[in-house]
Coordinates of all heavy atoms in Angstrom, one line a residue:
Y106 N 2.0 12.1 -12.0 CA 2.0 11.2 -10.9 C 0.9 10.0 -11.1 O 1.2 8.9 -10.7 CB 1.7 11.8 -9.5 CG 3.0 12.4 -9.0 CD1 3.1 13.8 -8.8 CD2 4.0 11.7 -8.6 CE1 4.2 14.4 -8.3 CE2 5.2 12.2 -8.0 CZ 5.2 13.5 -7.8 OH 6.4 14.1 -7.3
M107 N -0.1 10.3 -11.8 CA -1.1 9.2 -12.1 C -0.7 8.3 -13.2 O -1.2 7.3 -13.4 CB -2.5 10.0 -12.5 CG -3.2 10.7 -11.4 SD -4.6 11.6 -12.0 CE -5.7 10.1 -12.3
S108 N 0.3 8.7 -14.0 CA 0.6 8.1 -15.3 C 1.4 6.7 -15.0 O 1.9 6.6 -13.8 CB 1.5 8.9 -16.2 OG 2.8 9.1 -15.5
A109 N 1.5 6.0 -16.0 CA 2.2 4.6 -15.8 C 3.7 4.8 -15.5 O 4.3 3.9 -14.9 CB 2.1 3.9 -17.2
S110 N 4.3 5.9 -15.8 CA 5.7 6.2 -15.5 C 5.9 6.4 -14.0 O 7.1 6.4 -13.5 CB 6.3 7.3 -16.3 OG 5.6 8.6 -15.9
Q111 N 4.8 6.7 -13.3 CA 4.9 6.9 -11.9 C 4.0 5.9 -11.1 O 4.3 4.7 -11.1 CB 4.4 8.3 -11.5 CG 5.4 9.4 -11.9 CD 6.6 9.5 -11.0 OE1 6.6 9.1 -9.8 NE2 7.7 10.1 -11.5
F112 N 2.9 6.2 -10.6 CA 2.1 5.2 -9.8 C 1.1 4.5 -10.6 O 0.6 3.4 -10.2 CB 1.5 5.9 -8.6 CG 2.4 6.5 -7.6 CD1 2.8 7.8 -7.6 CD2 3.1 5.5 -6.7 CE1 3.7 8.2 -6.6 CE2 4.0 6.0 -5.8 CZ 4.4 7.4 -5.8
G113 N 0.6 5.0 -11.7 CA -0.3 4.3 -12.6 C -1.7 4.0 -12.0 O -2.4 3.1 -12.3
G114 N -2.1 5.0 -11.2 CA -3.4 4.8 -10.6 C -4.5 5.1 -11.6 O -4.3 5.9 -12.5
G115 N -5.6 4.3 -11.5 CA -6.6 4.5 -12.5 C -7.4 5.9 -12.5 O -7.2 6.6 -11.4
A116 N -8.2 6.1 -13.5 CA -8.8 7.5 -13.5 C -9.7 7.7 -12.3 O -9.9 8.8 -11.8 CB -9.5 7.6 -14.8
D117 N -10.3 6.6 -11.8 CA -11.2 6.7 -10.7 C -10.6 6.2 -9.3 O -11.3 6.1 -8.3 CB -12.5 5.9 -11.0 CG -12.2 4.5 -11.2 OD1 -11.1 4.0 -11.3 OD2 -13.2 3.7 -11.4
A118 N -9.3 6.0 -9.3 CA -8.6 5.6 -8.0 C -8.3 6.8 -7.3 O -8.1 7.8 -7.8 CB -7.4 4.8 -8.4
P119 N -8.2 6.6 -5.9 CA -7.9 7.8 -5.1 C -6.6 8.5 -5.4 O -5.6 7.9 -5.9 CB -7.8 7.2 -3.7 CG -8.6 5.9 -3.8 CD -8.5 5.4 -5.1
V120 N -6.6 9.8 -5.3 CA -5.4 10.7 -5.4 C -5.2 11.3 -4.1 O -6.0 12.0 -3.6 CB -5.6 11.7 -6.6 CG1 -4.4 12.7 -6.6 CG2 -5.7 11.1 -7.9
V121 N -4.0 11.0 -3.5 CA -3.7 11.6 -2.3 C -2.7 12.7 -2.4 O -1.6 12.5 -3.0 CB -3.1 10.6 -1.3 CG1 -2.7 11.1 0.1 CG2 -4.2 9.5 -1.0
L122 N -2.9 13.9 -1.8 CA -2.0 15.0 -1.8 C -1.1 15.0 -0.6 O -1.6 15.1 0.5 CB -2.7 16.4 -2.0 CG -3.7 16.5 -3.2 CD1 -4.5 17.8 -3.1 CD2 -3.0 16.3 -4.5
D123 N 0.2 14.8 -0.9 CA 1.2 14.7 0.3 C 2.0 15.9 0.4 O 3.2 16.0 -0.1 CB 2.0 13.4 0.1 CG 3.0 13.2 1.2 OD1 2.8 13.8 2.3 OD2 4.0 12.6 0.9
F124 N 1.5 17.0 1.0 CA 2.2 18.2 1.1 C 2.3 18.5 2.6 O 1.7 19.3 3.2 CB 1.3 19.4 0.4 CG 0.9 19.2 -1.1 CD1 -0.1 19.6 -1.6 CD2 1.8 18.4 -1.8 CE1 -0.4 19.4 -2.9 CE2 1.5 18.2 -3.2 CZ 0.3 18.6 -3.7
E125 N 3.3 17.8 3.2 CA 3.4 17.8 4.6 C 3.9 19.2 5.2 O 3.8 19.4 6.4 CB 4.3 16.7 5.1 CG 3.7 15.3 4.7 CD 4.7 14.2 5.1 OE1 5.0 14.0 6.2 OE2 5.0 13.4 4.1
N126 N 4.5 20.0 4.4 CA 5.0 21.3 4.9 C 3.9 22.3 5.0 O 4.2 23.4 5.6 CB 6.1 21.8 4.0 CG 7.4 21.0 4.2 OD1 7.7 20.4 5.2 ND2 8.3 21.1 3.2
I127 N 2.7 22.0 4.6 CA 1.6 22.9 4.7 C 0.4 22.2 5.4 O -0.7 22.7 5.3 CB 1.1 23.6 3.5 CG1 0.8 22.6 2.4 CG2 2.2 24.5 2.9 CD1 0.1 23.2 1.2
V128 N 0.6 21.0 6.1 CA -0.5 20.5 6.8 C -1.1 21.4 7.8 O -0.3 22.0 8.5 CB -0.1 19.1 7.4 CG1 0.2 18.0 6.3 CG2 1.1 19.2 8.4
L129 N -2.4 21.4 7.9 CA -3.0 22.4 8.9 C -2.7 22.1 10.3 O -2.8 23.0 11.2 CB -4.5 22.4 8.5 CG -4.9 22.9 7.2 CD1 -6.4 22.9 7.0 CD2 -4.4 24.3 6.9
T130 N -2.5 20.8 10.6 CA -2.3 20.5 12.1 C -0.9 21.1 12.6 O -0.7 21.0 13.8 CB -2.2 19.0 12.3 OG1 -1.4 18.4 11.4 CG2 -3.7 18.4 12.0
A131 N -0.1 21.5 11.7 CA 1.2 22.0 12.1 C 1.3 23.6 11.9 O 2.4 24.1 12.1 CB 2.3 21.3 11.4
E132 N 0.2 24.2 11.5 CA 0.3 25.6 11.3 C -0.5 26.4 12.3 O -1.2 25.8 13.1 CB -0.3 26.0 9.9 CG 0.3 25.4 8.7 CD 1.7 25.9 8.4 OE1 2.2 26.7 9.1 OE2 2.3 25.3 7.4
S133 N -0.3 27.7 12.5 CA -1.1 28.5 13.5 C -1.3 29.9 13.0 O -0.6 30.3 12.1 CB -0.3 28.5 14.8 OG 0.9 29.2 14.6
G134 N -2.3 30.5 13.5 CA -2.6 31.9 13.2 C -2.8 32.2 11.7 O -3.5 31.4 11.0
Q135 N -2.3 33.3 11.2 CA -2.5 33.6 9.8 C -1.8 32.6 8.9 O -2.3 32.4 7.7 CB -1.9 35.1 9.6 CG -2.2 35.6 8.1 CD -3.7 35.7 7.9 OE1 -4.5 36.1 8.7 NE2 -4.1 35.3 6.7
A136 N -0.8 32.0 9.2 CA -0.2 30.9 8.4 C -1.1 29.8 8.2 O -1.1 29.3 7.1 CB 1.2 30.4 9.1
A137 N -1.9 29.4 9.1 CA -2.9 28.3 9.0 C -4.0 28.8 8.0 O -4.4 28.1 7.2 CB -3.5 28.0 10.3
T138 N -4.4 30.1 8.1 CA -5.4 30.6 7.2 C -4.9 30.6 5.7 O -5.6 30.2 4.8 CB -5.9 32.0 7.6 OG1 -6.4 31.9 8.9 CG2 -6.9 32.5 6.6
N139 N -3.7 31.0 5.6 CA -3.0 31.1 4.3 C -2.9 29.7 3.7 O -3.2 29.5 2.5 CB -1.7 31.7 4.3 CG -1.7 33.2 4.6 OD1 -2.8 33.9 4.3 ND2 -0.7 33.8 5.1
A140 N -2.5 28.7 4.5 CA -2.4 27.3 4.1 C -3.7 26.8 3.7 O -3.9 26.1 2.7 CB -1.8 26.5 5.2
F141 N -4.8 27.1 4.5 CA -6.2 26.7 4.2 C -6.6 27.1 2.8 O -7.1 26.4 2.0 CB -7.0 27.1 5.3 CG -8.5 27.1 5.0 CD1 -9.2 25.8 5.0 CD2 -9.3 28.1 4.6 CE1 -10.5 25.7 4.8 CE2 -10.6 28.1 4.4 CZ -11.2 26.8 4.4
N142 N -6.3 28.4 2.5 CA -6.8 29.0 1.2 C -6.0 28.3 0.1 O -6.5 28.0 -1.0 CB -6.5 30.4 1.3 CG -7.6 31.2 2.1 OD1 -8.7 30.8 2.2 ND2 -7.2 32.3 2.7
L143 N -4.7 28.0 0.3 CA -3.9 27.3 -0.7 C -4.5 25.9 -0.9 O -4.6 25.4 -2.1 CB -2.4 27.3 -0.3 CG -1.5 26.5 -1.3 CD1 -1.6 27.2 -2.7 CD2 -0.1 26.6 -0.7
W144 N -4.8 25.2 0.1 CA -5.3 23.9 0.0 C -6.5 23.9 -0.8 O -6.8 23.0 -1.6 CB -5.6 23.3 1.4 CG -4.4 22.6 2.1 CD1 -3.7 23.0 3.1 CD2 -3.9 21.4 1.6 NE1 -2.8 22.1 3.5 CE2 -2.9 21.0 2.6 CE3 -4.1 20.4 0.6 CZ2 -2.0 19.9 2.4 CZ3 -3.3 19.3 0.6 CH2 -2.3 19.1 1.4
K145 N -7.4 24.8 -0.6 CA -8.7 24.9 -1.4 C -8.4 25.0 -2.9 O -9.0 24.4 -3.6 CB -9.6 26.1 -0.9 CG -10.2 25.9 0.4 CD -11.3 26.8 0.6 CE -10.8 28.3 0.7 NZ -12.0 29.2 0.9
Q146 N -7.4 25.8 -3.2 CA -7.0 26.0 -4.6 C -6.5 24.7 -5.2 O -6.8 24.3 -6.3 CB -6.1 27.1 -4.8 CG -5.7 27.5 -6.2 CD -6.9 28.0 -7.0 OE1 -7.2 29.2 -6.8 NE2 -7.5 27.2 -7.8
L147 N -5.5 24.1 -4.4 CA -4.9 22.9 -4.9 C -5.8 21.7 -5.1 O -5.7 21.0 -6.0 CB -3.7 22.6 -4.0 CG -2.6 23.6 -3.9 CD1 -1.5 23.1 -2.9 CD2 -1.9 23.9 -5.2
I148 N -6.8 21.6 -4.1 CA -7.7 20.5 -4.3 C -8.6 20.8 -5.4 O -9.0 19.8 -6.2 CB -8.6 20.5 -3.0 CG1 -7.7 20.0 -1.8 CG2 -9.7 19.5 -3.1 CD1 -8.3 20.3 -0.4
T149 N -9.1 21.9 -5.6 CA -9.9 22.2 -6.8 C -9.2 21.9 -8.1 O -9.8 21.3 -9.1 CB -10.3 23.8 -6.8 OG1 -11.0 24.0 -5.6 CG2 -11.1 24.1 -8.0
W150 N -7.9 22.3 -8.2 CA -7.1 22.0 -9.4 C -7.0 20.5 -9.6 O -7.0 20.0 -10.7 CB -5.8 22.6 -9.3 CG -5.8 24.2 -9.4 CD1 -6.9 24.9 -9.9 CD2 -4.7 25.1 -9.2 NE1 -6.5 26.2 -9.9 CE2 -5.2 26.4 -9.6 CE3 -3.4 24.9 -8.9 CZ2 -4.4 27.5 -9.5 CZ3 -2.6 26.0 -8.8 CH2 -3.1 27.3 -9.1

Side-chain angles (χ1 to χ4, degrees):
Y106 277 115
M107 294 176 69
S108 71
S110 65
Q111 290 282 340
F112 293 103
D117 58 354
V120 174
V121 176
L122 303 177
D123 178 21
F124 304 150
E125 295 176 59
N126 286 337
I127 59 170
V128 291
L129 296 178
T130 52
E132 303 289 0
S133 61
Q135 186 60 43
T138 301
N139 291 338
F141 167 75
N142 289 327
L143 177 58
W144 273 110
K145 288 197 296 182
Q146 184 66 79
L147 299 178
I148 294 164
T149 299
W150 288 352

